[in-house]
Amino acid sequence: MTIELHTWNTPNGRKISVALEEMGLPYKVIPVNITKGEQMAPSFVAISPNNKIPAIVDPDGPDGKRFSVFESGAILLYLGEKTGRFLPKPLIERIPVYEWLMWQMGGFGPMPGQVHHFLQVEKAEDRRYGLERYMKETRRLYGVFDKRLGEAQFAAGDEVSIADFAILGWAWRHERHQVDLADFPNVKRWYEALMARPGTKRGLEVPLS
Ligand SMILES: N[C@@H](CCC(=O)N[C@@H](CS)C(=O)NCC(=O)O)C(=O)O
């Protein structure tokens, strides 16, 4: 049955379209125009109480019942559980997926997101401190991931996982937060490997707005 993807064309939104495409799940996009405040509509808040995209509604959820999920990390875990794909069962392989997914959710998203914000601030004196702080932290995070990818092919090991889809959503916007991937050769190699995957490509290209 077709999953509803309530979303918009943003890094957090793209994580889920990539995962759905990679998993081969049928879905339809329901755009939520966050530039027009549609994320505040009561019908959307009913499935996403923090009034942020993305959210999904699965008509065939647990026990065959309609089920909604908000927060991109929770959605990725749900889809991984549902399909048994990109989320290994053995704990020894699963924990690294949790680790790198949480790393993304807690840092490699909020930090470049602040860079995107401060880049838009008009007055140089208001922009300077925030931009310097969040750019530095964003580059530090790229360095952490680069080191990780020096020892593993993908975020959680030698197989692609939902953690890669989460991280890719933000790495996909590296130009916007002014990071040159040439400075992080392992991240560049990983990025190019993912971008060459047909499912990932479709997930990044499907219209979300
Ligand atoms: N932690 C949330 C963050 C979601 C998020 O920040 N969504 C943004 C777009 S990328 C949004 O909906 N912004 C609208 C708003 O803040 O009103 C997740 O990963 O799902």
Side-chain angles (χ1 to χ4, degrees):
M1 281 208 269
T2 305
I3 291 174
E4 292 173 14
L5 170 57
H6 298 252
T7 196
W8 195 243
N9 186 25
T10 73
N12 290 318
R14 283 292 167 194
K15 295 173 190 175
I16 311 303
S17 52
V18 166
L20 287 163
E21 289 288 350
E22 284 279 355
M23 292 172 182
L25 286 168
Y27 69 100
K28 71 171 174 197
V29 172
I30 301 181
V32 179
N33 188 338
I34 61 172
T35 68
K36 292 205 169 134
E38 287 177 11
Q39 70 276 31
M40 303 298 176
S43 58
F44 180 66
V45 176
I47 59 165
S48 187
N50 196 33
N51 54 263
K52 291 186 191 289
I53 63 94
I56 61 163
V57 178
D58 182 357
D60 187 24
D63 299 328
K65 295 200 177 105
R66 194 174 162 82
F67 193 70
S68 65
V69 190
F70 74 101
E71 278 292 327
S72 60
I75 298 170
L76 290 170
L77 286 166
Y78 173 76
L79 295 174
E81 291 284 356
K82 181 181 171 77
T83 59
R85 300 195 62 201
F86 303 105
L87 181 61
K89 281 261 181 283
L91 214 48
I92 198 164
E93 292 168 38
R94 180 177 279 233
I95 294 298
V97 178
Y98 290 169
E99 288 176 324
W100 288 99
L101 178 61
M102 300 305 153
W103 174 82
Q104 184 285 307
M105 293 296 292
F108 192 83
M111 296 303 127
Q114 291 298 325
V115 174
H116 297 180
H117 170 82
F118 278 99
L119 280 169
Q120 288 174 347
V121 171
E122 260 175 46
K123 281 195 197 154
E125 66 264 35
D126 293 340
R127 196 171 53 227
R128 193 175 305 113
Y129 177 81
L131 205 49
E132 202 179 296
R133 174 178 166 83
Y134 293 113
M135 272 187 160
K136 191 170 164 208
E137 181 59 4
T138 295
R139 287 190 73 80
R140 188 190 69 78
L141 289 163
Y142 270 90
V144 168
F145 194 43
D146 197 63
K147 185 160 174 278
R148 166 63 179 163
L149 292 172
E151 60 201 30
Q153 216 185 331
F154 295 101
D158 287 333
E159 303 291 337
V160 176
S161 74
I162 54 169
D164 295 290
F165 305 149
I167 299 166
L168 182 68
W170 284 91
W172 172 65
R173 280 291 172 254
H174 61 275
E175 283 176 1
R176 184 162 172 212
H177 45 258
Q178 301 183 352
V179 165
D180 184 351
L181 292 188
D183 295 343
F184 303 96
N186 295 316
V187 178
K188 189 166 190 292
R189 184 261 307 150
W190 164 90
Y191 184 80
E192 286 167 359
L194 285 177
M195 296 303 269
R197 293 172 65 92
T200 295
K201 201 165 148 29
R202 283 196 304 278
L204 292 172
E205 286 174 357
V206 62
L208 298 186
S209 44

